Amino acid sequence: MADSKPLFSPDGDPMAAEALLRDVFGIVMDEVIRKGTSASEKVCEWKEPEELKRLLDLELRSEGEAAERILARCREVIHYSVKTCHPHFFNQLFSGLDPHALAGRIVTESLNTSQYTYEIAPVFVLMEEEVLKKLRSLVGWSSGDGVFCPGGSISNMYAVNLARYQRYPDCKQRGLRALPPLALFASKECHYSIKKGAAFLGLGTDSVRVVKTDERGKMIPEDLERQISLAEAEGIVPFLVSATSGTTVLGAFDPLEAIADVCQRHGLWLHVDAAWGGSVLLSQTHRHLLDGIQRTCLGAATGPRPATSSSRTSSTTWLWTPETRYLVEELKKREGFELIMEPEFVNVCFWFVPPSLRGKQESPDYSERLAKVAPVLKERMVKEGSMMIGYQPHGTRGNFFRMVVANPALTRADMDFLLNELERLGQDL
């Protein structure tokens, strides 16, 4: 497309190509791995969208650019991007940098293959089989199959599709006309992808029956049973229950044993969305949170069914680390911090109560004013680049911070920084 010769054309300069890659890897090492993981650096260099567009010069031109300009652009991309491996990035359900994982990604990206056949990816196909075998053994299955998915959302959609196909295999050929009205059941704390998957698959979001949760965000099995009976009384066919192991906000784990009992009584497919909490299977100390997950293959009244359990595994060295416990205890001790509940997982949820609201809990507008605090503090920390923490409302609770302690490199100094920075940013509120 460009008039100039591409760098990697057959008649290009292979030495120049190698030099470019070495320079790019050097920039990544310096700017992402060294600076990006340093507490003395910013989490992000915030710019408003219009200003950032001008700084980056995003125009798509018809000519290529010199290697020096390409390297400069690489630095710009890194400089203005959020450093998710930074020790003060607590915003999403991922953070930190694993050098071994990064090395693996460099190798797989360099080989640029797809894992759909042994012919094109012999090594990776065998690796995939071995990892899936290990994951099945962790769950408690001696046989089966599986696939790796690009994320929890599509994993949940696969689960809905599998459950529907198992119940009504004709739908693969005949489509929706082969189906009666169907109902699937998930807790009010479930991931939004359950409803999204129902919409994509033509079932409609009304097919998702929302089951109540307790004060900790866990599905209530008795309400699940009630909802199934209600659907049946309406002439609708229940076919799937989607439990959650590690909800996105509170980090709650649904009671899988009791839910499996309900599914077995009604002959329903049991799916477990373990995209966040599945890693506890690697921990002898915490794997009890997933007690019952092996029963996802016992949901049928007429015999075992294949199970689906989307999970993202990672190192569990950080699960309930001393740093997490330290943070919770510090939150309890410090004035102006209010813990939402004792955390079950690595999601630590709390309010920061600014000086003007302390001791005003009985004021009629207290909750309304408190809910405005987290958005203000979030804007301040992001624009300063000092740290990032997510916030959200939940049920009757106004906006609060959801701190995710998932980076194995975190220290108590990082926990202290977090609390001190919130106090500094909110002292005038």
Side-chain angles (χ1 to χ4, degrees):
M1 293 178 64
D3 293 334
S4 58
K5 293 179 180 179
L7 183 62
F8 290 99
S9 64
D11 57 344
D13 182 353
M15 297 301 292
E18 182 177 328
L20 174 68
L21 289 176
R22 289 185 182 278
D23 288 340
V24 170
F25 288 148
I27 291 171
V28 170
M29 181 63 72
D30 289 337
E31 301 296 329
V32 177
I33 298 176
R34 292 196 182 103
K35 291 183 180 178
T37 59
S38 172
S40 63
E41 299 286 336
K42 288 185 176 182
V43 174
C44 65
E45 188 67 44
W46 178 258
K47 301 293 179 185
E48 296 298 328
E50 291 305 317
E51 182 184 2
L52 188 56
K53 286 181 183 178
R54 292 193 298 270
L55 289 169
L56 292 179
D57 184 16
L58 298 173
E59 180 186 350
L60 297 176
R61 297 182 175 85
S62 58
E63 303 86 17
E65 293 189 317
E68 293 76 13
R69 186 65 190 119
I70 292 174
L71 295 175
R73 288 189 181 277
C74 288
R75 290 187 182 275
E76 291 168 358
V77 168
I78 296 170
H79 181 69
Y80 294 111
S81 292
V82 175
K83 312 305 186 297
T84 63
C85 50
H86 195 285
H88 300 155
F89 176 85
F90 313 108
N91 211 64
Q92 263 75 36
L93 303 180
F94 59 84
S95 62
L97 175 68
D98 186 324
H100 303 90
L102 180 57
R105 290 169 69 180
I106 291 172
V107 171
T108 55
E109 288 299 313
S110 300
L111 289 171
N112 189 33
T113 189
S114 293
Q115 277 65 264
Y116 41 68
T117 65
Y118 180 83
E119 177 187 27
I120 192 64
V123 177
F124 292 136
V125 166
L126 293 180
M127 289 172 63
E128 182 180 50
E129 288 183 351
E130 192 64 27
V131 174
L132 287 170
K133 178 182 176 182
K134 181 63 175 180
L135 291 176
R136 291 194 297 270
S137 71
L138 289 171
V139 171
W141 300 328
S142 59
S143 63
D145 203 348
V147 294
F148 286 102
C149 304
S153 290
I154 200 167
S155 297
N156 285 332
M157 187 164 69
Y158 284 170
V160 177
N161 187 55
L162 284 168
R164 181 177 66 176
Y165 173 76
Q166 196 282 332
R167 190 66 173 258
Y168 296 100
D170 284 353
C171 72
K172 182 175 183 178
Q173 181 177 352
R174 298 181 58 213
L176 296 179
R177 66 179 182 274
L179 303 175
L182 298 177
L184 61 108
F185 304 84
S187 83
K188 62 181 294 188
E189 299 290 322
C190 77
H191 195 258
Y192 64 86
S193 57
I194 297 296
K195 285 192 173 182
K196 184 170 71 172
F200 278 155
L201 292 170
L203 299 175
T205 56
D206 285 350
S207 67
V208 180
R209 302 296 179 99
V210 179
V211 182
K212 293 179 181 179
T213 58
D214 62 18
E215 68 281 356
R216 296 196 59 83
K218 299 171 180 287
M219 182 188 288
I220 300 174
E222 293 79 9
D223 191 61
L224 171 62
E225 188 104 48
R226 184 183 69 85
Q227 293 275 11
I228 293 170
S229 298
L230 284 175
E232 291 173 337
E234 296 170 16
I236 295 172
V237 180
F239 75 107
L240 165 69
V241 174
S242 179
T244 308
S245 291
T247 59
T248 55
V249 178
L250 300 179
F253 287 73
D254 286 343
L256 300 184
E257 289 282 12
I259 293 171
D261 288 342
V262 175
C263 291
Q264 193 161 2
R265 283 195 294 273
H266 292 271
L268 303 182
W269 182 293
L270 174 58
H271 165 65
V272 178
D273 175 0
W276 179 222
S279 55
V280 301
L281 285 173
L282 299 172
S283 168
Q284 292 301 317
T285 304
H286 304 288
R287 63 176 293 126
H288 66 87
L289 294 170
L290 282 174
D291 282 352
I293 194 170
Q294 75 283 356
R295 296 183 63 194
T296 51
C297 61
L298 299 176
T302 57
R305 295 177 181 171
T308 54
S309 174
S310 61
S311 64
R312 177 176 62 245
T313 59
S314 59
S315 169
T316 57
T317 56
W318 45 263
L319 285 176
W320 275 105
T321 59
E323 285 68 35
T324 314
R325 291 191 292 269
Y326 175 79
L327 174 64
V328 172
E329 294 309 313
E330 284 297 305
L331 280 167
K332 294 176 182 178
K333 290 191 298 186
R334 292 201 185 200
E335 183 182 10
F337 292 91
E338 185 177 341
L339 196 65
I340 300 295
M341 63 178 61
E342 289 288 336
E344 183 174 31
F345 197 35
V346 293
N347 306 37
V348 181
C349 301
F350 64 93
W351 281 296
F352 173 74
V353 183
S356 65
L357 290 179
R358 293 173 193 171
K360 305 282 183 64
Q361 285 83 348
E362 302 304 321
S363 300
D365 62 346
Y366 175 81
S367 296
E368 180 182 352
R369 292 172 63 189
L370 182 61
K372 296 177 180 178
V373 173
V376 173
L377 294 183
K378 176 63 176 285
E379 181 179 5
R380 290 180 178 183
M381 70 176 73
V382 169
K383 288 188 173 180
E384 290 194 17
S386 60
M387 62 183 182
M388 289 183 74
I389 316 174
Y391 72 86
Q392 65 285 303
H394 183 269
T396 59
R397 302 182 180 99
N399 290 318
F400 57 83
F401 287 113
R402 181 204 62 175
M403 162 83 175
V404 181
V405 190
N407 184 344
L410 292 177
T411 66
R412 291 190 175 189
D414 296 317
M415 302 297 97
D416 290 336
F417 175 87
L418 161 78
L419 300 176
N420 293 338
E421 183 69 356
L422 287 175
E423 289 176 338
R424 183 185 73 83
L425 294 171
Q427 62 183 342
D428 63 331
L429 296 180

